[in-house]
């Protein structure tokens, strides 16, 4: 598995470097080549995860970070088929490489959890919703940066790889809408399939997930009813994502690394 790990890390960094070319030397980024390299990186990353855990799901803290990084990188490539968001790879691909390296080389060994198909479905929905909403949150940050750059009449070269301001905002809301639907299904499947919130240490995770669901729901309602956009939309998107990060990784950090419990 180490060759796959090294290959994935090298390919992620190479893809990010290619996409960052406008910032580094002012030349146009070879997006086709960069995305091809990134695709190979995601495939190597996914293969490493599958082989390391023999096809099972390891949802312990560092393994989960590596898994969600792989999912977000893959979703970024898929979204790019419809809208040019390759510039996100400058941030996301090195992050995926770093999280993979931490899981393989620094994290303590863990064993996959034994999960039935219902919980696997619940986890899959959660991963997809988390991935889409993470990309939306990153777009929100870049949207705020685009608006600020336009006000000061200074547009960094790497922002040229993104769609225009209005299309970036539209894409952000489409991703939020899709992520909200998947988050709703995640909560519904959790209500149906999770047997005991207290014994499984899921109370805080559930409460925070519901709070994030409410934040994104209010944002989408405000967008539909009152046309919310700009800074208001950006801050609500980031607030919802922050709560969602706390719901999953915050609670796992406390349970596994501080309290030494499985969760």
């Amino acid at each position: 598995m180490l060759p796959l790990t090294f290959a994935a890390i090298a390919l992620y960094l190479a893809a990010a470097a290619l996409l960052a070319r406008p910032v580094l030397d002012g030349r146009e980024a070879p997006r086709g080549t960069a995305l091809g390299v990134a695709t190979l990186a995601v495939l190597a990353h996914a293969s490493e995860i599958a082989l390391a855990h023999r096809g099972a799901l390891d949802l312990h803290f560092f393994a989960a970070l590596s898994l969600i990084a792989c999912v977000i990188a893959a979703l970024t490539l898929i979204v790019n088929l419809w809208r040019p968001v390759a510039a996100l790879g400058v941030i996301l691909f090195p992050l995926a490489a770093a999280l993979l390296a931490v899981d393989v080389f620094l994290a303590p060994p863990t064993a996959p959890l034994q999960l039935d198909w219902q919980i696997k479905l619940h986890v899959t929905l959660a991963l997809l919703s988390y991935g889409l909403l993470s990309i939306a949150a990153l777009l929100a940050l870049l949207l705020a940066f685009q608006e600020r750059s336009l006000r000061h009449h200074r547009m960094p070269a790497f922002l040229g790889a993104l769609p225009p301001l209005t299309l970036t905002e539209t894409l952000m809301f489409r991703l939020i809408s899709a992520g909200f639907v998947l988050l709703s299904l995640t909560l519904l499947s959790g209500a149906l399939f999770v047997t005991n919130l207290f014994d499984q240490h899921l109370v805080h995770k559930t409460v925070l997930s519901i709070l994030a669901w409410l934040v994104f729901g209010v944002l989408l309602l405000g967008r539909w009813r009152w046309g919310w956009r700009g800074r208001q939309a950006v801050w609500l998107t980031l607030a919802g994502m922050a709560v969602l990060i706390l719901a999953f990784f915050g609670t796992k950090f406390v349970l596994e690394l501080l309290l030494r419990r499985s969760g």
Side-chain angles (χ1 to χ4, degrees):
M1 289 175 293
L2 283 180
L4 281 173
T5 301
F6 285 121
I9 292 172
L11 290 166
Y12 274 134
L13 296 178
L18 289 170
L19 291 172
R21 179 176 287 183
V23 179
L24 298 175
D25 58 19
R27 290 187 291 171
E28 183 179 355
R31 267 195 300 182
T33 302
L35 294 174
V37 172
T39 300
L40 293 176
V42 170
L43 291 174
H45 192 168
S47 298
E48 188 280 332
I49 292 173
L51 290 173
H53 308 304
R54 299 181 182 180
L57 279 174
D58 188 344
L59 298 177
H60 293 88
F61 184 77
F62 293 107
L65 281 172
S66 176
L67 176 59
I68 193 62
C70 183
V71 170
I72 293 173
L75 287 173
T76 300
L77 294 174
I78 293 171
V79 171
N80 193 74
L81 296 175
W82 286 272
R83 289 289 185 271
V85 293
L88 300 182
V90 176
I91 301 170
L92 292 175
F93 297 153
L95 180 60
L99 293 176
L100 172 60
V102 168
D103 180 41
V104 173
F105 300 115
L106 300 179
T110 55
L113 304 172
Q114 295 299 318
L115 305 174
D116 55 29
W117 72 266
Q118 294 97 329
I119 300 301
K120 287 182 179 178
L121 174 62
H122 170 72
V123 170
T124 300
L125 292 170
L127 288 172
L128 291 174
S129 65
Y130 193 98
L132 289 175
L133 292 171
S134 295
I135 298 171
L138 186 54
L139 281 175
L141 285 173
L142 293 177
L143 184 63
F145 195 55
Q146 278 181 304
E147 289 182 336
R148 182 178 179 183
S149 298
L150 286 173
R151 285 198 304 271
H152 292 85
H153 305 289
R154 289 181 297 180
M155 184 65 69
F158 79 92
L159 289 179
L162 289 174
L165 194 67
T166 54
L167 290 181
T168 300
E169 187 176 70
T170 299
L171 176 59
M172 181 186 77
F173 274 104
R174 286 180 178 175
L175 291 172
I176 292 172
S177 299
F180 180 76
V181 171
L182 288 169
L183 184 57
S184 302
L185 294 173
T186 300
L187 293 172
L188 178 61
S189 62
L192 292 174
F193 302 140
V194 174
T195 55
N196 194 312
L197 294 177
F198 292 95
D199 287 348
Q200 294 171 271
H201 311 297
L202 295 175
V203 175
H204 294 89
K205 184 183 296 185
T206 301
V207 171
L208 288 170
S209 296
I210 292 172
L211 180 57
W213 180 83
L214 289 173
V215 172
F216 285 117
V218 167
L219 172 58
L220 291 174
L221 177 63
R223 171 72 168 183
W224 171 74
R225 183 67 179 81
W226 299 288
W228 288 356
R229 55 181 304 174
R231 291 186 180 181
Q232 192 171 31
V234 167
W235 283 114
L236 279 173
T237 301
L238 295 178
M241 194 64 219
V243 176
L244 201 58
I245 290 172
L246 284 175
F248 191 68
F249 290 110
T251 55
K252 290 186 80 65
F253 178 83
V254 172
L255 284 171
E256 296 182 23
L257 302 185
L258 298 183
L259 300 180
R260 303 295 181 181
R261 300 176 187 170
S262 61

